[in-house]
């Protein structure tokens, strides 16, 4: 009897797992990457060093790619060098939504 209850409980847990996974919303693409940017640019893109709020995807993307190519990198350039091209696209897309 105890084993049957355990199996029923396990079956119920497995049956409800997909529903639980759907209720936990994933953060927008690029948001976790952008958490590094918040240190200097604030959580809304307008704090501290330089405002990036309202910049377009292409502006942000091009600036980060230019920073990657600098021969004498500074702080921000070093951050940019840590991202792949795909990550820069995700980052630029997310940051362009900050208003």
């Amino acid at each position: 009897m105890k084993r049957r209850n355990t199996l029923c409980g396990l079956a119920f847990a497995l049956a409800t797992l997909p529903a639980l996974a759907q209720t936990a919303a994933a953060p927008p693409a690029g948001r976790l990457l952008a958490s590094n940017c918040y240190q200097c640019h604030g959580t809304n893109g307008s704090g501290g060093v330089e405002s990036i709020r309202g910049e377009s995807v292409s502006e942000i993307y091009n600036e980060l790619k230019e920073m990657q190519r600098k021969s004498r990198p500074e702080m921000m350039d070093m951050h940019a060098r840590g991202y792949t091209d795909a990550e820069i696209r995700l980052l630029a897309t997310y940051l362009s939504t900050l208003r």
Side-chain angles (χ1 to χ4, degrees):
M1 183 68 143
K2 184 176 180 181
R3 182 174 180 190
R4 183 172 182 225
N5 287 344
T6 302
L7 289 175
C8 288
L10 181 60
F12 176 76
L14 291 173
T16 59
L17 191 59
L20 292 174
Q22 289 177 352
T23 59
R31 182 177 177 187
L32 292 177
L33 293 170
S35 63
N36 194 40
C37 306
Y38 299 157
Q39 300 291 327
C40 298
H41 298 287
T43 56
N44 63 1
S46 66
V49 177
E50 181 182 340
S51 178
I52 55 175
R53 180 191 273 182
E55 288 191 15
S56 70
V57 174
S58 62
E59 287 174 316
I60 296 169
Y61 176 82
N62 291 333
E63 287 176 22
L64 288 170
K65 292 305 284 183
E66 184 179 320
M67 289 174 191
Q68 285 184 326
R69 293 187 290 269
K70 286 189 178 179
S71 61
R72 299 185 77 197
E74 296 175 11
M75 178 67 79
M76 185 59 214
D77 311 324
M78 296 305 288
H79 283 288
R81 287 180 179 200
Y83 295 115
T84 65
D85 190 64
E87 289 172 330
I88 288 176
R89 289 188 189 283
L90 285 172
L91 191 55
T93 301
Y94 174 74
L95 290 173
S96 70
T97 66
L98 300 178
R99 302 282 180 237

